[in-house]
Amino acid sequence: MAWLGAELNRHIYAYHVLDAPTIPDADYDRMFRELQQLEAAHPEAVSQDTPTSRVGAAPIPEFKQVTHTVPMLSLNNAFSPEDVENFDKAVRKGLAAEQVDYASELKFDGLAISLRYEDGVFVQAATRGDGATGEDVTVNIRTVRSIPLRLRGDAVPRLLEVRGEVLMFKADFAKLNARQRDAGQKEFANPRNAAAGSLRQLDSRITAARNLRFFSYGVGALEGADLPESHAALLDWLGALGLPVSNERAVVAGAAGMLGYYASVGKRRAGLPYEIDGVVYKANRLEYQRQLGFVSRAPRFAMAHKFPAEEALTEVQGIDVQVGRTGAITPVARLAPVFVGGVTVENATLHNEGEVRRKDIRIGDTVIVRRAGDVIPEVVSFVPERRPANAREFVMPTACPVCGSPIVRLEDEAIARCSGGWTHCSAQKKGGLMHFVSRRAIDVEGLGDQLIEQMVDKGVIHTAADLYALDQDKLSSLDRMAAKSAQNVIAALEKSKDTTLARFIYALGIRNVGESTAKALAQYFGNLDALLHAASWEGGIQLLEVADVGPIVARSIADFLTDPQNAELVAQLRAQLRWKEGAHVMKAVGALAGKTFVLTGTLPTLSRDAAAALIEAAGGKVSGSVSKKTSYVVAGEDAGSKLTKAQELGIAILDETALQELLAGAGAASPTEE
Ligand code: IVH
């Protein structure tokens, strides 16, 4: 039992802390079950650090209170470079030092926890609570695989309290919410709430299923060992004891060093697998930390430098719908202006009607709005306690608010659409034009959204082709359009005429055709006529030969390009734009297309796989059983029942030579296109 326990703990450490698995999962599971069985038979010999305790235990009635031997404090916050400079000044003044080095690390966005190890064995875990007393979450913390149940090495302290953060990785958070959704249960607003909710479970088996993680960032009580000289060395030491410590840390000099660290982490923030809400600076020398001491509830030697909050509370004042360039109707929450993620947000997308229902967002609700990095703002969830009695549900309009056409929703689509089309619906027209001139499409510099709106509203342009008929006269009739600006627009339009086929295809704004699909189409077909021909032939079936193009995309392309009004627009535009046309090298559609073959028995020279490959290369299909639909049965030595059946059904029977002749003919088959 001792051997199995130690082995399993070694593998858990390798997997969850080092990220370097040492044995296959199945072997691990087998050893784990064996230990469980032995423990059931010999309960008196169960070790304190047995890995079987990580699966959770029977629910407890309530959490016990734990008084922290060393209080768990909080940090003062800095929000600006000046705050950081002032922090550095105060530290240097307090120490009468010229320059101070700071251990800089991430401010993990989870919840603080204190882990108690006695003689190297994990005995207790407590939440921060009010800093003086917290809750005993020992059984729950046992389920966190990266937290060692026994410290590594021979020189373990008699008592060690490790302080750190429990959190949930973004990917685990997404999976958890997907599971909650499928089970019809409430989703968590963010990974921090999910981590807190998972840890504060009276049934620790639930915690065990949630994949929580832990990073150490400090020490509380310590007996029977000396602290190292610096905070950086302290974290190294914790790492050596088998505790998880993040690698994202650095020792930097002075305010400039801290600000540099802040900027560099800011750039990497979105790419981290977990959420952080800032960075933390700590005077690196522990002697300095002792000298500086504490003021009220926070250390003088440390400072949290926060990133702009990515979430904020605000009120939903209304829910409107927006009409996109493909007619997609998107519900948009109109919000009381709120500063979040570094900008003031007044609107946030609700994606589609299903999303509004699923999140149960109503007009009048107080909601959490999130804007992370450059991602468009979104409504995360509403705050139930703050829902007013008169909160109103969103009603999806039945007619397009812009053109009045019916709004339709196909059965298999989440998105409702305006059925007016771009020729009828000015919102789609504007959206389509804005897309057409955008930088990655036709790239007309200086032709902004407002100008397009105005030109469509005034009836100056209707289609992308009209853009190229604009002249000084037409442009001067617009508001805020000086002669010079008009000239610039005309020059930019002229310049945009030199383009590429890929850009042109992308600029058309065909639903489901993004930049990469447009490039693939341009590359595959080489010229516009080949694409148009493929789109018009048998519902665009030939489009499926282009890498990345599946049935849905092929359908969109065929529908778009065969629509008479779109076809006319394409014809007008190709007369105005220029791009290099290439030859379309068609793959021969073999003469065996539509023919089904069945192979049976042993052929004299060809293996069965080789024969099948040759048939398929010539466009034929190979099937395993003979039916009326079989075109040919290729029979070799020892052919059995398949041959008999073919004879009964009167199907043509070939030997290898006859097959080779057929294939030779197929190779010379004429392509369907030049
Ligand atoms: S040190 C005495 N380091 O931030 C200083 N805290 O406002 C103790 N936190 O409750 C905290 N990452 O949960 C420290 N690298 C880090 C941290 C960190 C996150 C949290 C911690 C604490 C809060 C302080």
Side-chain angles (χ1 to χ4, degrees):
M1 284 167 69
W3 181 83
L4 275 173
E7 264 307 276
L8 286 164
N9 278 333
R10 193 169 69 77
H11 295 310
I12 290 172
Y13 177 72
Y15 187 96
H16 292 280
V17 182
L18 303 181
D19 261 336
T22 32
I23 54 165
D25 289 358
D27 293 1
Y28 175 89
D29 293 342
R30 194 176 39 72
M31 286 165 67
F32 195 90
R33 277 195 302 275
E34 190 178 346
L35 180 58
Q36 277 178 320
Q37 283 160 9
L38 286 167
E39 286 181 346
H42 306 280
E44 72 290 350
V46 175
S47 123
Q48 265 182 300
D49 66 336
T50 176
T52 61
S53 63
R54 291 193 183 275
V55 297
I60 53 171
E62 59 172 8
F63 293 112
K64 282 190 309 218
Q65 295 287 308
V66 176
T67 305
H68 301 300
T69 39
V70 176
M72 292 180 78
L73 302 171
S74 63
L75 294 168
N76 288 322
N77 290 323
F79 295 98
S80 67
E82 296 74 62
D83 292 346
V84 175
E85 276 153 19
N86 290 336
F87 164 64
D88 178 51
K89 264 190 214 139
V91 166
R92 283 188 288 123
K93 191 162 166 235
L95 298 168
E98 278 281 301
Q99 188 185 292
V100 175
D101 284 346
Y102 296 93
S104 304
E105 54 200 52
L106 305 179
K107 188 168 187 315
F108 307 105
D109 201 5
L111 56 149
I113 201 100
S114 184
L115 310 174
R116 191 177 168 92
Y117 288 88
E118 288 174 5
D119 295 319
V121 178
F122 170 70
V123 293
Q124 192 177 57
T127 61
R128 177 163 177 266
D130 62 7
T133 33
E135 285 176 327
D136 184 335
V137 287
T138 310
V139 273
N140 307 65
I141 282 296
R142 274 184 183 281
T143 70
V144 179
R145 306 288 197 279
S146 61
I147 292 179
L149 300 179
R150 181 184 290 277
L151 297 177
R152 302 174 70 79
D154 302 326
V156 297
R158 211 208 59 68
L159 171 68
L160 171 66
E161 265 179 20
V162 181
R163 301 279 162 87
E165 198 89 349
V166 168
L167 43 92
M168 190 179 283
F169 278 23
K170 293 174 191 169
D172 294 320
F173 167 71
K175 277 187 219 153
L176 170 60
N177 264 357
R179 285 207 306 269
Q180 294 286 103
R181 195 155 57 231
D182 291 347
Q185 283 179 330
K186 201 177 162 298
E187 290 176 50
F188 294 96
N190 53 47
R192 175 169 32 82
N193 288 3
S198 303
L199 190 61
R200 295 193 73 261
Q201 286 286 339
L202 294 170
D203 185 344
S204 50
R205 289 167 300 195
I206 298 177
T207 315
R210 297 277 173 88
N211 208 13
L212 293 174
R213 320 268 185 144
F214 175 78
F215 286 118
S216 323
Y217 54 63
V219 162
L222 176 68
E223 286 170 24
D226 290 329
L227 280 172
E229 296 239 302
S230 68
H231 183 75
L234 173 67
L235 293 186
D236 290 341
W237 179 57
L238 294 178
L241 290 171
L243 290 152
V245 179
S246 167
N247 289 327
E248 291 279 347
R249 54 195 170 104
V251 176
V252 301
M258 293 189 272
L259 293 174
Y261 181 78
Y262 179 83
S264 114
V265 170
K267 282 197 206 103
R268 289 199 305 280
R269 182 185 186 187
L272 292 172
Y274 42 83
E275 291 200 339
I276 57 174
D277 54 347
V279 297
V280 181
Y281 314 122
K282 300 168 184 173
N284 192 31
R285 282 183 57 177
L286 298 190
E287 178 50 36
Y288 281 175
Q289 295 194 359
R290 275 185 289 270
Q291 279 180 42
L292 287 161
F294 300 84
V295 55
S296 70
R297 297 173 39 75
R300 277 204 198 87
F301 57 81
M303 180 74 113
H305 190 181
K306 304 279 283 260
F307 291 128
E310 292 185 330
E311 287 182 358
L313 288 180
T314 189
E315 194 190 316
V316 178
Q317 297 178 325
I319 300 179
D320 297 343
V321 298
Q322 226 163 38
V323 188
R325 75 179 154 83
T326 61
I329 304 284
T330 313
V332 178
R334 303 290 173 214
L335 306 168
V338 62
F339 192 72
V340 57
V343 300
T344 300
V345 169
E346 290 178 81
N347 308 302
T349 178
L350 289 164
H351 300 293
N352 57 59
E353 191 183 2
E355 182 93 345
V356 181
R357 301 278 170 255
R358 192 166 65 72
K359 291 185 172 166
D360 191 19
I361 308 289
R362 302 188 191 171
I363 299 153
D365 270 339
T366 294
V367 292
I368 300 174
V369 181
R370 183 175 170 79
R371 182 182 179 272
D374 291 334
V375 182
I376 54 168
E378 60 168 358
V379 176
V380 179
S381 60
F382 76 98
V383 182
E385 308 83 74
R386 294 179 60 175
R387 168 165 287 174
N390 62 353
R392 274 186 300 128
E393 279 193 50
F394 164 71
V395 184
M396 187 63 151
T398 51
C400 172
V402 176
C403 73
S405 304
I407 288 177
V408 292
R409 189 165 137 191
L410 298 182
E411 248 173 69
D412 49 351
E413 277 196 31
I415 308 278
R417 287 176 201 278
C418 160
S419 57
W422 66 263
T423 48
H424 195 67
C425 178
S426 70
Q428 292 181 56
K429 195 180 283 182
K430 289 172 187 170
L433 285 162
M434 288 172 193
H435 172 76
F436 183 84
V437 303
S438 65
R439 201 171 52 81
R440 309 194 70 93
I442 290 297
D443 189 18
V444 186
E445 222 173 294
L447 196 52
D449 291 359
Q450 279 169 3
L451 192 53
I452 288 184
E453 288 222 8
Q454 204 194 142
M455 289 195 290
V456 171
D457 288 340
K458 293 203 165 140
V460 177
I461 55 169
H462 296 284
T463 74
D466 296 340
L467 287 172
Y468 294 100
L470 285 173
D471 55 26
Q472 196 80 28
D473 261 10
K474 283 185 190 158
L475 284 168
S476 323
S477 72
L478 301 168
D479 306 337
R480 280 165 304 171
M481 180 59 71
K484 179 75 190 142
S485 324
Q487 273 165 24
N488 289 345
V489 169
I490 289 168
L493 280 162
E494 198 52 44
K495 192 171 152 220
S496 74
K497 288 181 178 176
D498 280 307
T499 188
T500 64
L501 178 57
R503 277 178 177 268
F504 177 67
I505 297 170
Y506 174 62
L508 290 174
I510 304 169
R511 197 191 299 172
N512 301 314
V513 177
E515 240 186 316
S516 71
T517 305
K519 275 190 190 141
L521 289 165
Q523 192 170 30
Y524 184 85
F525 290 103
N527 62 71
L528 183 59
D529 281 325
L531 170 64
L532 294 177
H533 183 259
S536 63
W537 188 67
E538 294 204 14
I541 194 165
Q542 205 194 323
L543 295 164
L544 292 171
E545 287 175 17
V546 182
D548 287 359
V549 173
I552 292 174
V553 180
R555 184 81 263 158
S556 307
I557 299 169
D559 284 352
F560 185 97
L561 293 175
T562 55
D563 171 275
Q565 273 163 323
N566 291 336
E568 192 189 322
L569 176 63
V570 167
Q572 288 170 348
L573 283 171
R574 79 183 304 181
Q576 286 158 329
L577 303 174
R578 298 176 285 265
W579 60 78
K580 250 226 277 329
E581 296 254 282
H584 175 41
V585 187
M586 267 297 297
K587 213 166 68 184
V589 171
L592 301 191
K595 307 271 188 245
T596 303
F597 290 72
V598 174
L599 301 168
T600 177
T602 312
L603 300 178
T605 69
L606 287 175
S607 73
R608 190 161 309 185
D609 283 348
L614 288 171
I615 291 166
E616 280 163 3
K621 250 178 61 182
V622 179
S623 158
S625 58
V626 180
S627 76
K628 274 186 290 192
K629 291 194 190 130
T630 308
S631 321
Y632 301 97
V633 168
V634 183
E637 209 169 317
D638 294 330
S641 62
K642 288 179 190 171
L643 179 57
T644 328
K645 185 153 184 207
Q647 284 160 341
E648 280 166 19
L649 293 173
I651 288 165
I653 293 160
L654 309 175
D655 60 9
E656 188 181 304
T657 320
L659 173 66
Q660 298 276 25
E661 276 165 19
L662 202 61
L663 286 168
S670 59
T672 57
E673 227 180 303
E674 67 283 353

